[in-house]
Amino acid sequence: MATPDESPSAKRWLPLEANPEVMNQFLWGLGLPEDEAECCDVYGLDDELLAMVPQPVLAVLFLFPITSQTEEEGLLQDNEKRDASSKVYFMKQTVGNACGTIGLLHSVGNITSEIKLEVGSFLDRFFKSTASMDPWEVLLSISFCTSVGVFACMFCVSSLLTSHCCMLLQRASFLETDREMEVAHSAAATAGETEASDNVDTHFICFTCVDGELYELDGRKSGPISHGASSPTSLLQDAAKVIKGMIQKNPESLNFNVIALSKKVGDAF
């Protein structure tokens, strides 16, 4: 989906398919070990179907259709004052159709203490170098991670100088024009079962639990949105409640998809 921060001349990536297999290959290729975590389908939001999802769930991805109503609600949420934990890893989306990638990065970025990334991999280097950075500095670090790159981001803070904003737009442009980055993302985007198209009207967001709160992370919004108390054991159920509310507002659409990122647990002997 196009983003509010996308310039008229900005590139639009082919979107990632809402397909756990595609997302797994993408994450595993970036440095998430196969025996650490994997994406899996959530077939329904009833308790019986949620119970089928492998535990523990580390993050939840939600794909939904963009409508005039969701856009209006997004603007209202952006105008609300919110306080988020400083431990929440958040980044802005400036590249059209990069929401799947941003969602996966949000998922992994908030669970680095729960998983072990491959030492020296892209994700390992990226999160180590950006762990203590604010969203402005994150973009600078991404520009140097040239082994793969689809993570164009910018977090506009009104108190910062306009010149800083222009500088970061130049860095975003660097990412958009890097051929190696484009090829890496395109390989994942074209690996799905459906024909890839850059003309989409759906959007990925991520739900994660940080410091006992459920956060909605949407790169098209100005920051994290808290949905109240949560815990690692209730993350899936808590996210499902929020997702149900979003689906009920658009009951005629079938373009919804829920994917969980679950930690792999060793076989019991």
Side-chain angles (χ1 to χ4, degrees), residues 4-26:
D5 303 300
E6 182 184 342
S7 67
S9 61
K11 278 191 175 182
R12 292 166 58 85
W13 302 101
L14 289 173
L16 291 182
E17 183 176 271
N19 182 326
E21 183 177 349
V22 171
M23 292 181 169
N24 283 333
Q25 294 301 321
F26 189 44

Side-chain angles (χ1 to χ4, degrees), residues 107-180:
S107 298
V108 178
N110 284 287
I111 59 170
T112 52
S113 62
E114 306 294 325
I115 57 176
K116 295 180 181 179
L117 298 172
E118 292 179 2
V119 177
S121 68
F122 173 81
L123 290 178
D124 178 57
R125 291 182 286 108
F126 175 74
F127 288 119
K128 283 181 178 178
S129 64
T130 63
S132 61
M133 295 181 180
D134 62 33
W136 282 87
E137 294 174 302
V138 168
L139 184 56
L140 176 60
S141 177
I142 295 175
S143 353
F144 290 105
C145 293
T146 57
S147 61
V148 63
V150 292
F151 309 122
C153 67
M154 180 183 68
F155 186 33
C156 292
V157 181
S158 59
S159 60
L160 296 180
L161 297 177
T162 302
S163 60
H164 288 176
C165 185
C166 292
M167 179 173 62
L168 288 178
L169 285 173
Q170 292 174 348
R171 292 169 183 163
S173 177
F174 170 83
L175 294 177
E176 294 169 15
T177 57
D178 188 281
R179 180 60 179 168
E180 185 176 3

Side-chain angles (χ1 to χ4, degrees), residues 72-255:
E72 290 174 4
E73 291 180 352
L75 290 174
L76 290 175
Q77 289 178 322
D78 270 347
N79 290 330
E80 295 177 358
K81 182 179 179 180
R82 66 173 69 94
D83 295 318
S85 169
S86 60
K87 296 181 181 179
V88 178
Y89 192 96
F90 177 78
M91 60 190 304
K92 252 330 217 131
Q93 176 189 341
T94 61
V95 178
N97 296 333
C99 57
T101 295
I102 298 298
L104 290 172
L105 192 59
H106 277 150
S107 298
V108 178
N110 284 287
I111 59 170
T112 52
S113 62
E114 306 294 325
I115 57 176
K116 295 180 181 179
L117 298 172
E118 292 179 2
V119 177
S121 68
F122 173 81
L123 290 178
D124 178 57
R125 291 182 286 108
F126 175 74
F127 288 119
K128 283 181 178 178
S129 64
T130 63
S132 61
M133 295 181 180
D134 62 33
W136 282 87
E137 294 174 302
V138 168
L139 184 56
L140 176 60
S141 177
I142 295 175
S143 353
F144 290 105
C145 293
T146 57
S147 61
V148 63
V150 292
F151 309 122
C153 67
M154 180 183 68
F155 186 33
C156 292
V157 181
S158 59
S159 60
L160 296 180
L161 297 177
T162 302
S163 60
H164 288 176
C165 185
C166 292
M167 179 173 62
L168 288 178
L169 285 173
Q170 292 174 348
R171 292 169 183 163
S173 177
F174 170 83
L175 294 177
E176 294 169 15
T177 57
D178 188 281
R179 180 60 179 168
E180 185 176 3
M181 296 178 180
E182 184 176 357
V183 169
H185 181 82
S186 295
T190 56
E193 298 177 353
T194 58
E195 183 177 355
S197 170
D198 66 354
N199 184 22
V200 295
D201 58 358
T202 53
H203 183 61
F204 272 110
I205 59 176
C206 168
F207 290 94
T208 188
C209 178
V210 180
D211 272 358
E213 286 193 63
L214 177 68
Y215 285 100
E216 172 189 334
L217 306 177
D218 182 347
R220 300 179 79 236
K221 295 177 180 176
S222 60
I225 297 173
S226 173
H227 287 284
S230 185
S231 69
T233 56
S234 65
L235 167 59
L236 178 60
Q237 289 74 17
D238 295 335
K241 292 178 182 178
V242 179
I243 291 171
K244 282 182 180 178
M246 298 178 69
I247 292 177
Q248 288 172 358
K249 294 176 182 179
N250 193 4
E252 296 181 359
S253 177
L254 299 176
N255 295 326

